[in-house]
Amino acid sequence: MLPFLRDDLAQLSAYTPHAGQAEKAVVFDQLDTNESPFDLPDFLKAALAEQYQQAVEANRYPDGGHLRLKEAIAGYAAESAQLSEVASDCVSVGNGSDELIRSLLIATCLGGSGAILTAAPTFSMYGILAKTLGIPVMTIDRSDATFALDLEAASAAVADSHPPIRVVFMVHPNSPTANALTEAELTWLRSLPETVLVVVDEAYFEFCQQTTVADALQRSNWVVLRTFSKAFRLAAHRVGYAVAQPALIAALEKVRLPYNLPSFSQAAALSALANRTALLEAIPSLLQAREQLSQALAADSRWQVWPSQANFIYVRLSPAGLDRLGLEDQTAGLVQIFQKLRSRGTLIRQTGGGLRITIGTAEQNQRTQQNLAAVLDELSLAATGSR
């Protein structure tokens, strides 16, 4: 440990990116980060290339106020929430949602001002970013059967936490478990005092069409986060945005870095919004593919498969699967499955006590289904031979 670093840094863990990105000689089905399996259409790539040639001055800083992009996002936010209008001063733009999460933490909890509340399993970056800033993280459990929040524990945490809970982070629908917030959970979030900021992360909104943007515009202590990295196919451009009342947006603007979003990323997001009909028309086929893969895995008694309202599915080994593999708990089996799938060229995410599988192309989904079955057969045979 370098002597000038914080004492607690050795206990922190970095976010783990794509497992296969450094292995250029290996071609993987990358189904581990919930990206779209489809690149931008050729016509849009060509238009962006022309725009880069003619309109982007590489020697100039980007638009630091994101004025055109905010107006376009505000229009889309209003459309998606079926509202007559969303003002552009209700929008903040970040270098991915991660930057917005970090800005929210800086604006609320830094310097011992408060703690955050999350519900495990969920998106790991809330806890990772909080800990890098020295902010305490309180975690409650979810139901093992439905992944619903333990609302009694959540209420107790908000009432009794020292330092006080300043921010509650919820993904809607949740990652990795793919379940949307229930009415009971939404009612609880709406009941929280104005001293607690409610962050609803709608990274997968386009796949479930459930939004709380109206809450964010009506309540001073709500903010909705969204991203262009999933349904809009712009993961390489790292564009996220927040929707909230102007006072909260103004606070985020105070703590974000200047010129935080490159000109080409802004151009890509504007083009994606202008062509959203063409980009989003892939969603119905992705949802159909999701149901087909879910049903195929559920037909194998060795898997326990949960309903999904996102572009991924979440599975664990069933009691029958554990028995066939000669195991008493999930962890050992999931590690073996993850590693063997990877050796076959299928990358998925092992997280939260289960496996999260992004929906890919038809060919990728077919290979995933075949590889999962082959890996379980191989492990079952090995377990039988060792008994």
Side-chain angles (χ1 to χ4, degrees), residues 40 43-53 237 264 267-268 271:
L40 291 178
F43 81 89
L44 192 50
K45 279 197 165 186
L48 281 172
E50 183 177 356
Q51 187 168 354
Y52 188 81
Q53 288 286 341
H237 289 276
F264 199 49
S271 295

Side-chain angles (χ1 to χ4, degrees), residues 19-21 23 26-30 342-347 364:
Q21 285 180 334
E23 300 176 31
V26 181
V27 178
F28 289 106
D29 288 337
Q30 294 184 342
R342 191 174 185 282
S343 69
R344 291 171 176 264
T346 297
L347 285 178
Q364 290 172 337

Side-chain angles (χ1 to χ4, degrees), residues 30-327:
Q30 294 184 342
L31 307 178
D32 60 334
T33 49
N34 298 343
E35 302 149 319
S36 172
F38 308 115
D39 201 348
L40 291 178
D42 289 342
F43 81 89
L44 192 50
K45 279 197 165 186
L48 281 172
E50 183 177 356
Q51 187 168 354
Y52 188 81
Q53 288 286 341
Q54 298 182 2
V56 174
E57 297 179 279
N59 60 312
R60 302 297 181 189
Y61 286 112
D63 173 9
H66 319 121
L67 300 181
R68 289 183 58 211
L69 183 54
K70 284 183 177 181
E71 290 175 354
I73 289 172
Y76 174 64
E79 173 189 305
S80 64
Q82 300 182 337
L83 300 172
S84 60
E85 183 183 16
V86 172
S88 60
D89 62 356
C90 293
V91 176
S92 184
V93 182
N95 195 292
S97 295
D98 292 338
E99 183 188 19
L100 292 162
I101 294 166
R102 193 171 187 272
S103 292
L104 287 166
L105 292 169
I106 291 171
T108 55
C109 297
L110 208 59
S113 299
I116 71 166
L117 179 68
T118 65
T122 196
F123 183 43
S124 62
M125 285 306 296
Y126 307 132
I128 290 173
L129 288 170
K131 290 174 182 177
T132 64
L133 295 170
I135 295 170
V137 179
M138 302 290 293
T139 304
I140 59 169
D141 293 328
R142 295 175 180 269
S143 162
D144 281 337
T146 65
F147 301 114
L149 303 179
D150 184 339
L151 293 179
E152 185 175 343
S155 295
V158 171
D160 301 332
S161 176
H162 299 287
I165 299 294
R166 290 289 186 218
V167 189
V168 174
F169 284 100
M170 292 292 154
V171 197
H172 180 46
N174 187 49
S175 177
T177 55
N179 57 303
L181 289 167
T182 66
E183 281 303 315
E185 291 164 347
L186 287 168
T187 297
W188 178 76
L189 290 170
R190 291 170 181 139
S191 75
L192 291 173
E194 293 184 353
T195 55
V196 177
L197 176 64
V198 175
V199 181
V200 181
D201 191 336
E202 296 184 357
Y204 306 98
F205 160 74
E206 285 79 13
F207 303 99
C208 75
Q209 294 295 310
Q210 297 183 42
T211 182
T212 60
V213 161
D215 285 282
L217 298 175
Q218 294 167 5
R219 301 169 184 275
S220 63
N221 65 323
W222 275 59
V223 59
V224 166
L225 300 180
R226 287 187 183 170
T227 181
F228 284 84
S229 295
K230 312 300 182 184
F232 281 101
R233 317 185 195 181
L234 294 183
H237 289 276
R238 306 298 295 127
V239 185
Y241 63 96
V243 180
Q245 289 190 358
L248 179 52
I249 295 300
L252 291 178
E253 293 295 291
K254 291 180 181 180
V255 298
R256 75 169 171 85
L257 295 174
Y259 307 113
N260 61 322
L261 196 62
S263 297
F264 199 49
S265 291
Q266 294 188 47
L270 282 165
S271 295
L273 286 172
N275 293 277
R276 57 183 173 272
T277 299
L279 293 179
L280 300 181
E281 67 182 6
I283 289 179
S285 63
L286 282 173
L287 298 184
Q288 183 179 11
R290 179 191 71 191
E291 296 312 306
Q292 290 172 346
L293 183 57
S294 294
Q295 291 171 14
L297 294 181
D300 186 333
S301 63
R302 295 173 294 185
W303 290 115
Q304 183 176 9
V305 184
W306 278 269
S308 170
Q309 297 189 62
N311 66 331
F312 55 90
I313 60 175
Y314 189 69
V315 303
R316 289 175 177 169
L317 289 166
S318 68
L322 289 170
D323 182 65
R324 291 276 295 275
L325 269 61
L327 300 171

Side-chain angles (χ1 to χ4, degrees), residues 347-377:
L347 285 178
I348 61 174
R349 189 79 169 177
Q350 181 190 348
T351 181
L355 301 175
R356 190 191 68 192
I357 307 169
T358 304
I359 302 304
T361 64
E363 294 79 9
Q364 290 172 337
N365 296 334
Q366 182 65 29
R367 285 194 293 268
T368 299
Q369 181 183 338
Q370 293 171 347
N371 286 343
L372 282 167
V375 165
L376 283 191
D377 289 344

